[in-house]
Amino acid sequence: MKQYEYSYSEKKLGYSLEGEDIIFRVWAPGRETVTLALYDDPLDIRRTLHYMIPDEDKVFEITLAKDEVTPYYTYILDHEFEVTDPYSTAVSLNSLRSAIVDMENLKPPGWEEHKLPGAIAETDAIIYEMHIKDFTGHKNSGAINKGKYLGVIEPGTTHLGFATGLDHLKELGITHVHLMPVYDFLTVDENPDRFNDDSNYNWGYDPEHYNVPEGSYSTDPSDPGCRIYELRQMIQKLHEEGFKVIVDVVYNHTYRGRNSNFNLLAPEYYYRTRTDGSYSDGSGCGNELATERPMVRKFILDSLMYWVNEFKIDGFRFDLMALIDIETVRKAVNILRLANESIFIYGEPWTAGMTTLSDKLTTTKGKQQGLSFAFLNDNFRNAIKGDSNGEGRGFVHGNCDMKRETEIGLAGSIFYDKGRIGFGIAPNETINYINSHDNLIIYDKMKKIFSQSDESFIVRLNKLAFGILFVSQGIPFIHSGNEFLRSKNMLDNTYNSSFNVNALNWSLKSRNNGFYNFFKDLIQLRKKHPEFRLKTGDKIRESLKFFDVEREGCNCIGYTIKLDNKNVEEGKYTLVAINGHHESCLITLSMVRNHIEKQYGLTEDHLCIIEILNMDGLVTSKNSRGELDPHGVEIPGYSIMVFSLAERCVK
């Protein structure tokens, strides 16, 4: 590998349609000969061979007339190995052979001119993570195209009178749909007759062809163009309904290692190795891509731009982003921002094992500062719920040790003060979440810790956890089904569990409709109140002030946010009170007045307290208790409450 470790070519790789010709190019520095093999049928053994010519950078190339080219192709290396094209944009069933398609002919009506959702500030986003098959695959989803791209966008689907699928997303009020892997992955059989096999399931974090949509989610996976057309249909409809679309990308490892098309084309180049020649395994999946090498970096940048240009993607979530070197991340952010100034970029700031990539090159917390991308915030997650899979407790379970870390999260994980130091400089650098697809889903985590408690208590803890999420500065992220208490049967890593475990059971929406309505209210609270969506670290430090709530124990958090309202009846401050203990705590008005005078330098002789949110949801004019006790308010155990502090109350 040494002789081509620093090789680089600017040439466009893959195939290109140029007038009446097709140009094939592949970088194969580890090979003496490369032969293009063309097939009429993906399972055919008959083929025509065309020898490719290398340039000085070992980019092998051939130009053929379109009428000479058949639909499927591979590359034969040194008359020994046959591989698909890493730059494939279409493949046959189960990724056996690369396919040639004309992307111009695979555009749904209105694709080019369809209206994209307008730009919004990142802290105004509410991200909803979903797996395509999970979302509508269950028998009660009401969808016709269950578990497919098209199933996601079917209008009017219901179960027991409650909206499912697309209409559910619209009703819920989220802004961004985060799609778990929709590129081509290997661990699911794409044969349609196996789609409903309970064991034929995977999340998809095992990439094979990065630029090809996954075929099992299409209605005809044997047609290489169908998956492209239907994924575009889905994205277009989501855009038209006002949702931005984020895709999960896994540029840290591949499913295959030494037998991958990458490694056979350029042995030992695409992967990091240890001194003994074995693969570095910071991914926990057997290998990791050497993103710092020029042609690996080029592939990643080309791939990202392909998804933006051909699928109008609005954002990317980088799996195990720490394994992608920081220089590649910087370059990716720069080219993506040039293409779309408002594109969303975030990732995981950790590895899944030891890596040979030096610490100074890993993309970890702190290195994102000022670089216009965000990290999934495991500090926030752990502060709220404790450890991911065990019985370790978080703030919502009464763990006093997590109070300060919870306050850091509430303040957007910035450097708030000397006692509350986060990893960011602005709230748009933190993706706050309770759980994602990984580990125990939060409902199961609550059940594990309080296994003897009744259901009403488990529901209350979930309300408290998500209440904290939606009043925290930063960007909230939820996993599909969190909104109606989804369970995964107490399994903590369901990436290849049965579909029966992973499918979104829509009957939970009716069963837990009270919780669902509370969850919707949390989203509306955040949307209606910009004080929970502050844009800068300076504004947070200036406006948000914590105060001590006196009680036995330490699990009450109180803070105010000073508002910019001019109308005294609209409220001058928002007060948030969070109780992570079974006993109630009291917040007196004198305590609040003293706090305001100390923190803001203002004297407030006349303040009335009006409920905005309690554990039943948003307080409306119909269920409002009006001005509360002028002496103060009691915060029940395991509760979150939000109040308006106004100079004069509306009668």
Side-chain angles (χ1 to χ4, degrees), residues 145-260:
N145 295 292
K146 289 180 171 60
K148 303 290 186 179
Y149 296 124
L150 297 184
V152 173
I153 55 172
E154 288 182 31
T157 60
T158 62
H159 178 64
L160 299 177
F162 294 93
T164 63
L166 177 64
D167 287 357
H168 169 78
L169 294 179
K170 293 161 63 176
E171 177 185 274
L172 185 59
I174 56 99
T175 63
H176 289 63
V177 174
H178 164 146
L179 302 172
M180 290 168 65
V182 292
Y183 55 72
D184 176 56
F185 52 87
L186 276 182
T187 46
V188 164
D189 188 340
E190 293 179 346
N191 279 294
D193 58 359
R194 289 215 57 215
F195 183 74
N196 292 315
D197 286 4
D198 199 36
S199 61
N200 191 35
Y201 179 88
N202 204 282
W203 285 342
Y205 293 90
D206 41 23
E208 177 70 354
H209 296 103
Y210 284 97
N211 300 335
V212 178
E214 166 58 20
S216 65
Y217 301 146
S218 72
T219 58
D220 185 2
S222 64
D223 177 356
C226 181
R227 61 185 75 187
I228 296 169
Y229 187 89
E230 291 180 351
L231 178 57
R232 281 174 162 175
Q233 276 186 292
M234 185 191 76
I235 292 168
Q236 180 176 338
K237 181 63 174 176
L238 288 172
H239 281 164
E240 290 170 348
E241 295 292 351
F243 301 113
K244 290 179 178 284
V245 179
I246 296 166
V247 293
D248 219 320
V249 287
V250 186
Y251 297 117
N252 62 80
H253 77 279
T254 59
Y255 182 65
R256 303 183 204 251
R258 297 195 187 278
N259 292 324
S260 70

Side-chain angles (χ1 to χ4, degrees), residues 8-19:
Y8 184 75
S9 174
E10 286 282 1
K11 285 185 176 179
K12 181 182 178 183
L13 301 178
Y15 69 85
S16 302
L17 305 180
E18 304 284 349

Side-chain angles (χ1 to χ4, degrees), residues 358-413:
S358 70
D359 287 345
K360 68 180 181 180
L361 295 180
T362 55
T363 301
T364 47
K365 287 176 196 161
K367 295 179 183 176
Q368 87 297 333
Q369 292 184 0
L371 293 183
S372 189
F373 69 93
F375 280 140
L376 286 152
N377 191 342
D378 56 329
N379 300 67
F380 179 96
R381 177 197 71 195
N382 297 343
I384 305 305
K385 72 170 185 179
D387 63 17
S388 291
N389 299 323
E391 296 183 12
R393 300 190 178 202
F395 178 80
V396 299
H397 309 118
N399 184 351
C400 288
D401 293 338
M402 292 298 184
K403 179 182 179 183
R404 186 52 56 95
E405 198 66 49
T406 299
E407 290 176 341
I408 292 171
L410 286 163
S413 294

Side-chain angles (χ1 to χ4, degrees), residues 446-459:
M446 300 300 193
K447 294 282 282 188
K448 185 167 188 173
I449 292 179
F450 294 106
S451 59
Q452 303 303 312
S453 297
D454 62 25
E455 184 68 8
S456 63
F457 182 65
I458 300 300
V459 171

